[in-house]
């Protein structure tokens, strides 16, 4: 549905998508993330180049995402993303994120390995890269293997895993 200029994901398509793993809704007129609750297996979602501004309840729509592309929207407050615990890739480039306190919310994501923030006001702040890396370094991880809840696996150093794509 990329480039279809749709203002929203059709409610009628909801029940047909229970086994879909990826959806590309980029380059549309979508302002709200909605009607995706039935996409239980959704792991990859592209909402880039839309009009999304509020993502506060996104975890209630797409809780199992591994990759989320929100580049070129109107997002200033990223609250809600910190509850997407399976997220590995997050593209927030060219939005309106202004403060390190917003970025700090993302440090709660145990599997996040790739983060795009370039084009946001926060990426223009002094010591952006060092401060962001420090934020993620503060959060040690103790993640359990999906197959065994009794054997913890300590993740490698967070800085070694985090790929920040943006200005240095």
């Amino acid at each position: 549905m990329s480039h279809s200029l749709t203002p929203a994901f059709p409610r009628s398509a909801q029940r047909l998508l229970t086994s879909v793993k990826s959806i590309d809704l980029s380059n549309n007129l979508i302002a709200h993330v909605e009607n995706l609750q039935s996409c239980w297996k959704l792991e990859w979602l592209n909402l880039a180049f839309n009009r999304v501004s509020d993502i506060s309840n996104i975890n209630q729509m797409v809780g199992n995402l591994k990759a989320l592309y929100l580049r070129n929207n109107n997002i200033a407050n990223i609250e809600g993303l910190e509850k997407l615990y399976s997220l590995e890739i997050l593209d927030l480039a060219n939005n309106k994120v202004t403060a390190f306190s917003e970025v700090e919310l993302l440090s709660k994501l145990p599997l996040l390995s790739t983060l795009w923030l370039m084009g946001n006001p926060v990426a223009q702040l002094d010591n952006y890269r060092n401060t962001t890396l420090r934020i993620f370094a503060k959060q040690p991880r103790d993640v359990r293997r999906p197959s065994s809840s009794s054997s913890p696996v300590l993740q490698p150093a967070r800085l070694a895993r985090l790929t920040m794509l943006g200005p240095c």
Side-chain angles (χ1 to χ4, degrees), residues 100-120:
F100 288 119
S101 59
E102 294 292 321
V103 177
E104 195 160 7
L105 291 172
L106 301 176
S107 70
K108 297 175 183 177
L109 297 172
L111 302 176
L112 187 65
S113 61
T114 304
L115 174 62
W116 283 277
L117 286 171
M118 66 262 189
N120 281 282

Side-chain angles (χ1 to χ4, degrees), residues 13 16 18 42-43 48 64 67 76 80-81 95 101 123 137 154-155 164-165:
L16 303 173
T18 57
L42 190 62
E43 296 179 353
N64 297 317
L81 291 176
N95 276 284
S101 59
L154 293 175
Q155 293 287 344
M164 283 183 35
L165 303 171

Side-chain angles (χ1 to χ4, degrees), residues 69 71 89-93 113-120 123 128-129 162-168:
Y69 298 87
R71 136 185 327 249
I89 300 168
L90 178 59
D91 185 352
L92 281 169
S113 61
T114 304
L115 174 62
W116 283 277
L117 286 171
M118 66 262 189
N120 281 282
Y128 155 74
R129 186 172 181 81
L162 184 67
T163 303
M164 283 183 35
L165 303 171
C168 294

